[in-house]
Amino acid sequence: MRDGFQFIGRIPYPVTEPKHLVVASEVATMDFLRLHGIPVPKIYSYSATAENAAGTEFIFMEFIRGTNLGDVWYNLPERARITVVAKLVELESKLFALEFPASGSLYHTKDLPDGFSKVDVPIAKFDRDGDFCIGPDTTLRMWYGKRGDIQIHRGPYTEPAAALVAGAKKEIAYLTKFGRPLHPFQHMWREIYNYQKQSPSDHLDSLEKYLQIAPYLIPHDNEVLARPTLRHPDLQPNNIIVSDKLEITSLLDWQHCAIRPLFLQCGIPNSLQNYGDAVSESLEVPELPPNFDDLGEREQFEQAVLLRRRQLHYYYIAKTAQLNSVHYDALAHDFSVVRRKLFDHASEPWEGDNVTLKADLIYLTENWSSITAPQSSARGDSKVPCPISFTENEVAECERLHSAQVEADEQLQTCRDVVGIGPEGWVPLEQYEETRQRARKLKAAALEAAESNEERTRLEEHWIFGDFDEEEYS
């Protein structure tokens, strides 16, 4: 402004849906968090409808001064990174301590339109009772594409079982009405299936099996793990503002924030986790290999990067055990990762992948007694037989395809590293032309290595970084 005052004006992307609920929920979430001492920008004004002079939904919020952690994160020394991780965990402990009567997303009661279910949120120590409520879950996958037109229950959920199955029921409703054969969205997978489109009927079968086993995923041996818990939807460096002394001054971007049972919310943030690595999962103190000084320059670089990933994983777990015991207990609970994987893979929009969820279900059947024993013991029940099964041939074929997909994912990551892009394909403007040139060289090399005209045609048609119409996947 002319007097030097600065603020942020945000409007939703054209593809953001449902705009009214998403904007209203983000505003209410930030207002609620500020009331409880969580550092988030102050909301000055907002409109959850487009019926205003601007012709769009908007949020006017505080401009937070400081350094975006993403700008300095990769240059911080080890001790500074540990300091930041500790402060993040401390902030998370405050989030995990907040109490809610249901799962879903937060709203100001006045902003939730008629026709939507809601559960009031009482606020201790504040004269604001009746101001906040929990309503429909605004998570993107619940509304993606044509899914937003389907009349299904998206919350609030007063029971953990309802939160567990809502995403799967949404996807069943979508595929029943709109499902059609698709090539896997992940282009690198298409060769595995001889470039044939995959039928949604196989995934529908897996979703129905998920609904059968979902009640047994609730950890009845520890009621605290079912408590509705709020967590930042995308806790990564670019959403964190820090001071010169690395104090966290604000957490940004609460769009699509949801409250879920703790056993579904727990986990290491993607920017800090190193799952799949034996050293990280063993929780050993990470160190450089003893022969580090004898390695070549590139190998030393790779080991240094690996050490960094292991350190972040290790220190996040260590600080969580020290500062956020509720979260640590949820992380350490038997088969914690399996539960979240099953929930996520059953809730995600289907994109031609019939294998990932099925592989999770097969793993569950193979470990059924170990997973369900604590729950059965807590309820005083005898051992419960697994309600789903797979033939030997189904298991063998699924494992073959799943291994092939994992290998293809590794190849894709190598290609991304060569080109210099992340999972979403985004690059800084100043690097765009150089990155495009590397992508052209990679494609030219792949076409030259092709052994037949048919293979070259397939590569052209299904090139991993090629443009294509994503509309059929929505």
Side-chain angles (χ1 to χ4, degrees):
M1 308 297 286
R2 289 174 181 167
D3 63 357
F5 176 75
Q6 293 178 297
F7 68 98
I8 299 293
R10 282 189 59 182
I11 63 173
Y13 283 109
V15 296
T16 300
E17 293 294 347
K19 291 181 177 62
H20 176 90
L21 295 182
V22 169
V23 170
S25 179
E26 181 172 14
V27 167
T29 301
M30 294 170 70
D31 282 345
F32 186 89
L33 294 176
R34 277 185 66 85
L35 277 177
H36 291 84
I38 307 297
V40 298
K42 181 180 180 180
I43 303 296
Y44 296 131
S45 178
Y46 71 98
S47 174
T49 78
E51 297 174 5
N52 55 54
T56 180
E57 301 82 355
F58 66 82
I59 306 174
F60 290 159
M61 67 178 73
E62 180 183 8
F63 174 69
I64 304 295
R65 301 187 183 280
T67 300
N68 188 299
L69 184 60
D71 293 340
V72 298
W73 182 237
Y74 294 101
N75 297 319
L76 291 178
E78 178 185 352
R79 185 172 296 278
R81 290 198 301 270
I82 295 171
T83 297
V84 173
V85 168
K87 294 182 185 302
L88 276 176
V89 170
E90 190 174 2
L91 262 182
E92 279 198 316
S93 70
K94 295 180 180 179
L95 285 175
F96 278 59
L98 298 174
E99 296 185 3
F100 299 97
S103 297
S105 290
L106 265 174
Y107 299 87
H108 285 296
T109 304
K110 64 182 176 62
D111 287 333
L112 196 59
D114 293 338
F116 286 100
S117 301
K118 66 178 184 294
V119 175
D120 290 337
V121 179
I123 309 178
K125 301 180 183 178
F126 297 100
D127 188 21
R128 301 281 297 262
D129 281 0
D131 190 7
F132 293 95
C133 67
I134 296 173
D137 182 347
T138 61
T139 305
L140 178 60
R141 61 191 177 194
M142 295 298 289
W143 302 88
Y144 181 65
K146 299 184 187 73
R147 292 161 182 82
D149 300 327
I150 299 174
Q151 298 301 310
I152 57 169
H153 183 57
R154 295 181 174 86
Y157 315 112
T158 55
E159 297 295 332
L164 255 178
V165 301
K169 286 184 174 180
K170 170 267 306 177
E171 205 58 20
I172 288 172
Y174 168 81
L175 291 176
T176 300
K177 186 173 183 179
F178 298 110
R180 56 178 174 171
L182 293 174
H183 288 295
F185 187 89
Q186 172 56 274
H187 286 199
M188 192 71 91
W189 290 1
R190 296 181 179 185
E191 185 179 2
I192 299 170
Y193 301 95
N194 298 316
Y195 300 100
Q196 299 298 307
K197 291 186 176 182
Q198 302 302 295
S199 169
S201 61
D202 290 344
H203 191 63
L204 275 167
D205 181 65
S206 293
L207 289 169
E208 294 290 354
K209 284 184 167 65
Y210 171 81
L211 293 184
Q212 290 179 263
I213 58 89
Y216 303 99
L217 297 179
I218 302 170
H220 294 288
D221 56 323
N222 187 342
E223 292 184 1
V224 174
L225 299 184
R227 182 168 62 81
T229 303
L230 184 147
R231 198 172 186 196
H232 192 285
D234 185 21
L235 193 61
Q236 46 104 347
N238 287 324
N239 287 330
I240 301 168
I241 304 296
V242 296
S243 68
D244 292 340
K245 295 182 179 180
L246 296 180
E247 296 290 340
I248 296 175
T249 57
S250 193
L251 297 180
L252 310 178
D253 196 2
W254 293 87
Q255 184 171 284
H256 302 301
C257 184
I259 300 164
R260 294 198 186 96
L262 175 55
F263 68 90
L264 296 179
Q265 288 284 56
C266 64
I268 305 173
N270 287 335
S271 59
L272 303 177
Q273 60 89 7
N274 194 36
Y275 288 122
D277 176 73
V279 172
S280 291
E281 293 182 355
S282 70
L283 294 183
E284 298 175 16
V285 179
E287 297 177 340
L288 288 170
N291 65 334
F292 179 78
D293 292 336
D294 300 327
L295 300 176
E297 184 176 345
R298 180 169 183 80
E299 289 176 308
Q300 285 189 344
F301 174 77
E302 291 172 349
Q303 286 297 322
V305 170
L306 179 58
L307 175 65
R308 178 193 182 88
R309 291 205 303 267
R310 287 172 172 172
Q311 286 174 336
L312 292 173
H313 187 107
Y314 174 82
Y315 286 116
Y316 181 86
I317 293 285
K319 291 299 179 182
T320 296
Q322 177 186 351
L323 302 172
N324 192 1
S325 59
V326 171
H327 189 197
Y328 181 79
D329 290 344
L331 284 172
H333 195 274
D334 290 342
F335 299 99
S336 170
V337 174
V338 173
R339 288 184 176 84
R340 297 198 306 279
K341 284 175 62 176
L342 278 160
F343 169 73
D344 287 338
H345 294 153
S347 304
E348 288 169 354
W350 182 72
E351 296 179 333
D353 175 14
N354 289 330
V355 170
T356 303
L357 175 59
K358 189 173 184 177
D360 293 339
L361 292 167
I362 288 172
Y363 180 87
L364 181 79
T365 61
E366 292 173 343
N367 295 274
W368 181 256
S369 59
S370 300
I371 293 174
T372 59
Q375 281 84 282
S376 298
S377 176
R379 293 193 302 256
D381 300 338
S382 57
K383 290 184 179 179
V384 179
C386 184
I388 64 173
S389 62
F390 299 91
T391 67
E392 288 185 14
N393 288 340
E394 281 182 299
V395 172
E397 179 64 1
C398 183
E399 289 178 349
R400 181 186 72 81
L401 292 172
H402 189 250
S403 295
Q405 288 184 180
V406 170
E407 184 178 340
D409 287 341
E410 293 171 352
Q411 293 172 354
L412 176 61
Q413 186 57 52
T414 300
C415 292
R416 286 173 176 156
D417 292 342
V418 168
V419 174
I421 61 172
E424 301 298 328
W426 181 87
V427 293
L429 179 60
E430 62 272 14
Q431 298 176 19
Y432 179 68
E433 286 302 329
E434 181 184 350
T435 304
R436 282 189 66 193
Q437 186 60 31
R438 287 197 293 267
R440 291 192 195 100
K441 288 182 179 179
L442 181 66
K443 183 176 181 180
L447 291 171
E448 185 177 349
E451 297 179 354
S452 67
N453 288 333
E454 181 182 3
E455 187 178 347
R456 290 187 190 91
T457 300
R458 295 291 195 189
L459 274 171
E460 285 277 10
E461 185 179 352
H462 302 280
W463 177 238
I464 53 177
F465 299 133
D467 288 334
F468 67 101
D469 184 6
E470 298 183 19
E471 185 65 27
E472 63 179 338
Y473 293 89
S474 64

